[in-house]
Amino acid sequence: MTGRPLLPPVEYAAANAEVRAVYDEIMALRGTDWVNDFWKVLAHDPATLRRTWDSVRQVMAPGALDPLTKEMLYIAVSITNGCAYCINSHTAAARAKGLTDAQLGELIAVVGMANETNALATAWQVPVDERFEGGGRE
Amino acid sequence: MTGRPLLPPVEYAAANAEVRAVYDEIMALRGTDWVNDFWKVLAHDPATLRRTWDSVRQVMAPGALDPLTKEMLYIAVSITNGCAYCINSHTAAARAKGLTDAQLGELIAVVGMANETNALATAWQVPVDERFEGGGRE
Amino acid sequence: MTGRPLLPPVEYAAANAEVRAVYDEIMALRGTDWVNDFWKVLAHDPATLRRTWDSVRQVMAPGALDPLTKEMLYIAVSITNGCAYCINSHTAAARAKGLTDAQLGELIAVVGMANETNALATAWQVPVDERFEGGGRE
Amino acid sequence: MTGRPLLPPVEYAAANAEVRAVYDEIMALRGTDWVNDFWKVLAHDPATLRRTWDSVRQVMAPGALDPLTKEMLYIAVSITNGCAYCINSHTAAARAKGLTDAQLGELIAVVGMANETNALATAWQVPVDERFEGGGRE
Amino acid sequence: MTGRPLLPPVEYAAANAEVRAVYDEIMALRGTDWVNDFWKVLAHDPATLRRTWDSVRQVMAPGALDPLTKEMLYIAVSITNGCAYCINSHTAAARAKGLTDAQLGELIAVVGMANETNALATAWQVPVDERFEGGGRE
Amino acid sequence: MTGRPLLPPVEYAAANAEVRAVYDEIMALRGTDWVNDFWKVLAHDPATLRRTWDSVRQVMAPGALDPLTKEMLYIAVSITNGCAYCINSHTAAARAKGLTDAQLGELIAVVGMANETNALATAWQVPVDERFEGGGRE
């Protein structure tokens, strides 16, 4: 990745009301006065900015799973896709929610192992065992 | 995937002592009398069977993360890699450890969202914010 | 992929009001009396069903790009991710919007070539030319 | 990606006749006096340079799809594969063919959404609806 | 994958002269009277059929690497991409060129391990050591 | 990728006995007095460091396949996954084992082609020919 995104970040001072509203919500939810560049670049497409922010907020809210578990799942996907931005930003978010170095190490060990056995199962072309169809549901 | 793996499963009766030892450990740890086909196909390469089983057992053991969280991370990776065998087998394992349908739904929603924002960050080529470098470590 | 999803499709008769509302919108927009299984399985997680449907509808609406171009982009991504469900369903959608076999053939040829040169650029570890940084923006 | 490719670019002055012929064709087709590093590194393998250039030229020529649509498909694949070189170079090429920022924004939104629903369909292991088999062909 | 491709295979009797010429070359090179469905489906786009066949033949010919090594590399890529068609067809090709079950087992073990350590290096975001830049070239 | 890993490399002087033992084995096997950063970062999780080193050493040892072939397979996977660290480090390892530039060029050409035909087979959704099922085994 080069040092320049496809379009430059839209700073608050230059943003329109629609974009500023999202920035305000991001800062309020996080209790900071700072917005990261992912959102500032996405701001060139205000409809996508709004929709993505609303979606992330909904998906990452506490529910049947707690927010730290959700951040860990996010990191696992980001590693597997090789998204450096997402690995760094979500590790930072997870640490802010209490992720320890020991937990991070185990998370990465699981992700590594899963990538290996995914490859092994695919390589050997193992059909799904009858008992596992539907993820083992009855 | 076709219905036939690259080599047929090695059944217990046909397995050598090295392979049987692994099968015995799998059944003992799980408290069942059944071994799934992933291991039975891997048995054509006994060294890989032994090493993979030992590695999975080590990685998935309780530690800084609990076993159910680890299964969820495994599922997240398997979805992102598109490994049907692994999605089904690890969902079955997670359900056996207590995963509810509501948790499964939220897990999948996070994985879906992560795949979307991974693509957005990559697409716009957003450089990592200075504050997020090293995953936000000091 | 096996013949069974992780949870069974939720049929209209068994769906709650929130889910039925989405099904109704899908059928109305498409002018059919039929809803495909993607949505019926997603219905186990009604919040994700609603959010995903709203998002897809927004993203795929005519704008700076026409709907057929958008379907073609969807197919290109689905091929690269190896999602059989998505390749088949979006090819069907694209054909319904006028995609010809000749266009499909060229689309696939471009996707194939892009996958090859992506691999070549990555393999040789070619740094981005200065003129191309920021996608060539000034 | 580091700043150094696996082998250094082959400059025109140092290139043999076979390689120079490809460089000449690239510059003539593009109406420039400049060749980007992708081709200059590939020049270490002249047969692959010639074949790849001929293939790209054939695939990207106007046909049932116009050249800008083809560039957009190229970008969609490059994003999904996470190839920074290709995202930047093909965005530059698309802009030279008239891609607007609004079109770029919608392209990326579609690619993001497709990556999300690809993951959702895979996660839930939804079998292809009978009506969609063969991409809906009769 | 469903049982139906996006367009049906073009049988020899129904093929035009351009397509038949490729089929004839495939059968002659392989010493068989049979053409596999990959080529028969690709035949709907004769220019891509001709170009792809010529390219594969060039790339897979003996050179600095022998044909069996090339088939093994093909299988390694196909596993990593999760392409069932390609895993099965290139394993069949490799076996016809002498691949033993022991070699297949080791190939798969390497591919599995590489997928694991790829994930670990990406997860930890390890920068390339100075000595390894340019793949260790001087 | 940024210049900072998620945790800093653990230098020999700061390492505990368990980690030093692995470093010693790495240096002894390679006949150098230097350990690359992959292992030094992994050292934050000593159990994973030990297990991964033992696994890599086992998998890459000479067997039915020679070590250079195994390195080439590793590179092929690393390219397909887009892991810059792994491409550079394993190309360096392969060169140390005798890989020539001509072999590297052909390796990359095969990997490029495989990525293209993987995409074509997936795009057209070609079912596996009956003769290729099980990778052509009898």
Side-chain angles (χ1 to χ4, degrees):
Chain A
M1 196 171 300
T2 69
R4 301 178 65 207
L6 297 192
L7 287 170
V10 177
E11 299 301 334
Y12 194 93
N16 66 21
E18 187 182 1
V19 167
R20 282 187 183 184
V22 175
Y23 288 3
D24 288 340
E25 289 175 27
I26 291 172
M27 292 186 288
L29 187 77
R30 296 179 176 173
T32 68
D33 62 353
W34 176 72
V35 172
N36 54 310
D37 279 349
F38 175 75
W39 303 108
K40 287 185 180 168
V41 172
L42 213 54
H44 286 279
D45 180 0
T48 301
L49 174 69
R50 167 52 67 192
R51 178 176 51 76
T52 305
W53 168 245
D54 285 349
S55 295
V56 167
R57 196 172 35 177
Q58 178 193 313
V59 167
M60 300 304 277
L65 300 177
D66 64 279
L68 179 53
T69 297
K70 290 183 172 186
E71 288 291 354
M72 289 194 287
L73 294 168
Y74 227 103
I75 295 170
V77 171
S78 302
I79 292 168
T80 306
N81 281 329
C83 180
Y85 188 90
C86 312
I87 292 168
N88 281 286
S89 60
H90 284 279
T91 298
R95 281 173 164 157
K97 286 174 182 149
L99 183 76
T100 65
D101 288 352
Q103 289 173 319
L104 178 63
E106 292 196 10
L107 182 168
I108 291 175
V110 172
V111 169
M113 203 66 223
N115 273 283
E116 178 167 15
T117 58
N118 281 191
L120 294 177
T122 298
W124 287 109
Q125 294 281 293
V126 189
V128 177
D129 305 78
E130 199 178 319
R131 296 192 197 190
F132 287 160
E133 292 200 4
R137 70 173 158 93
E138 293 169 24
Chain B
M1 194 171 302
T2 66
R4 300 178 67 207
L6 298 192
L7 287 170
V10 176
E11 299 302 333
Y12 195 92
N16 64 23
E18 189 182 0
V19 167
R20 283 188 183 184
V22 176
Y23 288 3
D24 288 338
E25 289 175 29
I26 292 172
M27 291 187 289
L29 188 78
R30 297 180 175 171
T32 65
D33 62 352
W34 176 73
V35 173
N36 54 310
D37 279 350
F38 174 76
W39 303 109
K40 286 185 180 168
V41 172
L42 214 53
H44 286 279
D45 179 0
T48 300
L49 174 69
R50 164 54 68 192
R51 178 176 51 78
T52 304
W53 168 245
D54 285 348
S55 295
V56 167
R57 196 173 35 176
Q58 179 192 315
V59 167
M60 300 304 277
L65 300 177
D66 64 278
L68 180 53
T69 298
K70 291 184 172 185
E71 287 292 353
M72 289 194 287
L73 294 168
Y74 227 104
I75 296 170
V77 171
S78 302
I79 292 168
T80 307
N81 281 329
C83 179
Y85 188 89
C86 312
I87 293 169
N88 281 286
S89 59
H90 283 277
T91 298
R95 281 172 163 158
K97 287 173 181 149
L99 183 77
T100 66
D101 287 352
Q103 289 173 319
L104 178 63
E106 292 196 11
L107 183 167
I108 290 175
V110 172
V111 170
M113 204 65 222
N115 273 285
E116 176 166 17
T117 60
N118 281 192
L120 294 177
T122 298
W124 286 110
Q125 293 281 292
V126 189
V128 177
D129 304 78
E130 200 178 318
R131 296 190 197 193
F132 287 160
E133 290 200 5
R137 70 173 158 93
E138 293 171 23
Chain C
M1 194 171 303
T2 66
R4 300 179 66 207
L6 298 192
L7 287 170
V10 176
E11 299 301 334
Y12 195 93
N16 66 21
E18 188 182 0
V19 167
R20 282 189 182 184
V22 175
Y23 288 3
D24 287 339
E25 289 174 28
I26 291 171
M27 291 187 288
L29 187 79
R30 297 179 175 173
T32 65
D33 62 352
W34 177 74
V35 172
N36 53 309
D37 278 349
F38 174 75
W39 303 109
K40 287 185 179 167
V41 172
L42 214 52
H44 286 279
D45 180 0
T48 300
L49 174 69
R50 165 52 69 193
R51 179 176 50 77
T52 305
W53 168 244
D54 286 348
S55 295
V56 167
R57 195 172 38 174
Q58 179 194 315
V59 167
M60 300 305 278
L65 299 177
D66 63 278
L68 180 53
T69 297
K70 290 183 172 185
E71 287 292 354
M72 288 193 288
L73 293 168
Y74 226 104
I75 296 169
V77 171
S78 303
I79 292 168
T80 306
N81 281 329
C83 179
Y85 188 90
C86 312
I87 293 168
N88 281 287
S89 60
H90 284 278
T91 298
R95 279 171 165 159
K97 286 174 182 150
L99 183 77
T100 65
D101 288 351
Q103 289 174 319
L104 178 63
E106 291 196 10
L107 182 168
I108 290 175
V110 171
V111 169
M113 202 67 222
N115 273 285
E116 177 168 15
T117 60
N118 281 191
L120 294 176
T122 298
W124 286 110
Q125 292 282 293
V126 190
V128 177
D129 303 78
E130 200 178 318
R131 297 191 197 192
F132 288 160
E133 289 200 5
R137 70 174 159 91
E138 294 169 23
Chain D
M1 196 171 302
T2 68
R4 300 177 67 206
L6 297 192
L7 286 170
V10 177
E11 299 302 333
Y12 194 93
N16 65 22
E18 188 181 0
V19 168
R20 283 188 182 184
V22 175
Y23 288 4
D24 288 339
E25 289 175 28
I26 291 173
M27 292 187 287
L29 187 78
R30 295 178 176 175
T32 66
D33 62 351
W34 176 74
V35 172
N36 53 310
D37 278 350
F38 174 75
W39 303 109
K40 286 185 178 168
V41 172
L42 214 53
H44 286 280
D45 180 1
T48 300
L49 174 69
R50 164 53 68 192
R51 177 176 52 75
T52 305
W53 168 246
D54 286 348
S55 294
V56 168
R57 196 171 37 175
Q58 178 193 316
V59 167
M60 300 304 278
L65 299 177
D66 64 277
L68 180 52
T69 297
K70 290 183 170 185
E71 287 291 354
M72 289 193 289
L73 294 168
Y74 227 103
I75 295 169
V77 171
S78 303
I79 293 168
T80 307
N81 281 328
C83 180
Y85 188 91
C86 312
I87 293 169
N88 281 286
S89 60
H90 284 279
T91 298
R95 280 172 164 158
K97 286 174 181 150
L99 183 78
T100 66
D101 287 351
Q103 289 173 320
L104 179 64
E106 292 195 10
L107 182 168
I108 290 175
V110 172
V111 169
M113 203 66 222
N115 272 284
E116 178 167 14
T117 59
N118 281 190
L120 294 176
T122 298
W124 286 110
Q125 292 282 294
V126 189
V128 177
D129 304 78
E130 199 177 320
R131 296 191 197 191
F132 288 161
E133 290 202 3
R137 72 175 159 89
E138 293 169 24
Chain E
M1 194 171 302
T2 65
R4 298 179 67 206
L6 298 191
L7 287 171
V10 177
E11 299 302 333
Y12 194 92
N16 66 22
E18 188 181 1
V19 168
R20 283 187 181 184
V22 175
Y23 288 3
D24 288 339
E25 290 174 28
I26 292 172
M27 292 187 288
L29 188 79
R30 296 179 175 174
T32 65
D33 62 351
W34 176 73
V35 172
N36 54 309
D37 278 350
F38 175 75
W39 303 109
K40 286 186 179 168
V41 172
L42 214 54
H44 286 279
D45 180 359
T48 300
L49 173 69
R50 164 54 68 190
R51 177 176 52 75
T52 305
W53 167 245
D54 286 347
S55 295
V56 167
R57 197 172 36 176
Q58 177 192 317
V59 167
M60 300 304 276
L65 300 177
D66 63 278
L68 179 54
T69 297
K70 291 184 171 184
E71 287 293 354
M72 288 193 288
L73 293 169
Y74 227 103
I75 295 169
V77 171
S78 303
I79 291 168
T80 306
N81 281 328
C83 179
Y85 188 89
C86 312
I87 292 169
N88 282 285
S89 59
H90 284 279
T91 298
R95 280 172 163 159
K97 286 173 182 149
L99 183 77
T100 65
D101 287 352
Q103 289 174 319
L104 178 64
E106 291 196 12
L107 182 168
I108 291 175
V110 172
V111 169
M113 203 66 222
N115 273 284
E116 177 167 16
T117 60
N118 282 191
L120 294 176
T122 298
W124 286 110
Q125 293 281 294
V126 189
V128 177
D129 304 78
E130 200 178 318
R131 297 192 197 190
F132 287 160
E133 290 200 5
R137 71 173 158 93
E138 296 172 20
Chain F
M1 197 171 299
T2 68
R4 300 178 67 208
L6 298 191
L7 286 171
V10 177
E11 299 301 333
Y12 194 93
N16 65 22
E18 187 182 1
V19 167
R20 282 188 182 185
V22 175
Y23 289 3
D24 288 338
E25 289 175 27
I26 292 172
M27 292 187 287
L29 187 78
R30 296 179 177 175
T32 66
D33 62 351
W34 176 74
V35 172
N36 54 310
D37 278 351
F38 174 75
W39 303 108
K40 286 186 180 167
V41 172
L42 214 53
H44 287 279
D45 180 0
T48 300
L49 174 69
R50 165 54 66 193
R51 178 176 51 77
T52 305
W53 168 246
D54 285 348
S55 295
V56 167
R57 196 172 35 175
Q58 178 192 315
V59 167
M60 300 304 277
L65 300 177
D66 64 278
L68 180 53
T69 298
K70 289 183 172 184
E71 286 292 354
M72 289 194 288
L73 293 168
Y74 227 103
I75 296 169
V77 171
S78 302
I79 293 168
T80 306
N81 280 329
C83 178
Y85 188 90
C86 312
I87 293 169
N88 281 286
S89 60
H90 284 279
T91 298
R95 280 172 164 158
K97 286 174 181 148
L99 183 76
T100 66
D101 287 353
Q103 288 173 320
L104 178 63
E106 291 196 11
L107 182 168
I108 291 176
V110 172
V111 169
M113 203 67 221
N115 273 284
E116 177 167 15
T117 59
N118 281 191
L120 294 176
T122 299
W124 287 109
Q125 293 281 292
V126 189
V128 177
D129 304 78
E130 200 178 319
R131 296 191 199 192
F132 287 160
E133 290 200 4
R137 73 174 157 91
E138 293 170 24

